[in-house]
C-alpha cells in the first residue's frame, strides 16, 4: 500500500503504478465503454497532478483518485448531449 504523504512530496506516477488499474476498472464499471474509460483515466491523471495540493494525508490515495474519477465522470456526463425521443 502507498504510504500516506503530504502533497508536497506526493508522487503521482507512483500512485498511478499502485492504483491505476483499480481506477481504470472503477471508471470502466461506471461507463462500460473502454475508449471513454481510457480517455477519462488520462483526464484523472491530469486532474490529480493539477489538484495534488488538495490531497489530505489522512485520506487513502486510492480513494482520493476515485473521487477525482467520479468528478471527471460527472462533469463529462453534463457535457454529453441528452438523447430525446418523440412519441408520435
Amino acid at each position: 500500500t502507498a504510504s500516506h504523504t503530504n502533497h508536497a512530496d506526493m508522487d503521482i506516477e507512483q500512485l498511478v503504478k499502485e492504483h491505476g488499474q483499480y481506477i481504470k476498472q472503477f471508471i470502466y464499471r461506471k461507463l462500460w465503454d473502454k475508449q471513454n474509460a481510457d480517455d477519462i483515466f488520462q483526464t484523472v491523471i491530469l486532474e490529480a497532478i493539477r489538484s495534488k495540493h488538495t490531497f489530505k494525508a489522512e485520506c487513502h490515495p486510492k480513494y482520493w483518485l476515485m473521487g477525482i474519477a467520479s468528478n471527471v465522470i460527472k462533469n463529462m456526463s453534463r457535457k454529453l448531449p441528452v438523447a430525446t425521443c418523440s412519441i408520435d
Side-chain angles (χ1 to χ4, degrees), residues 52-83:
K52 76 182 204 175
H53 65 279
T54 67
F55 179 76
K56 294 179 177 37
E58 64 272 7
C59 180
H60 192 284
K62 177 171 70 175
Y63 300 122
W64 179 69
L65 290 171
M66 286 172 64
I68 293 172
S70 292
N71 288 333
V72 170
I73 291 167
K74 191 183 325 176
N75 291 339
M76 182 204 74
S77 66
R78 287 185 194 140
K79 295 175 184 175
L80 293 176
V82 176

Side-chain angles (χ1 to χ4, degrees), residues 7-34:
H7 61 81
D9 57 1
M10 182 170 47
D11 183 355
I12 299 295
E13 185 177 343
Q14 185 62 33
L15 290 182
V16 171
K17 284 181 186 173
E18 291 178 15
H19 306 293
Q21 192 59 38
Y22 182 88
I23 299 303
K24 283 181 186 180
Q25 291 171 352
F26 172 79
I27 295 166
Y28 180 74
R29 284 191 306 268
K30 298 275 187 193
L31 302 175
W32 296 105
D33 179 329
K34 184 174 179 356

Side-chain angles (χ1 to χ4, degrees), residues 12 16 40-50 65 68:
I12 299 295
V16 171
I40 287 177
F41 180 72
Q42 295 301 317
T43 303
V44 167
I45 294 169
L46 293 173
E47 277 301 312
I49 292 167
R50 278 194 286 254
L65 290 171
I68 293 172

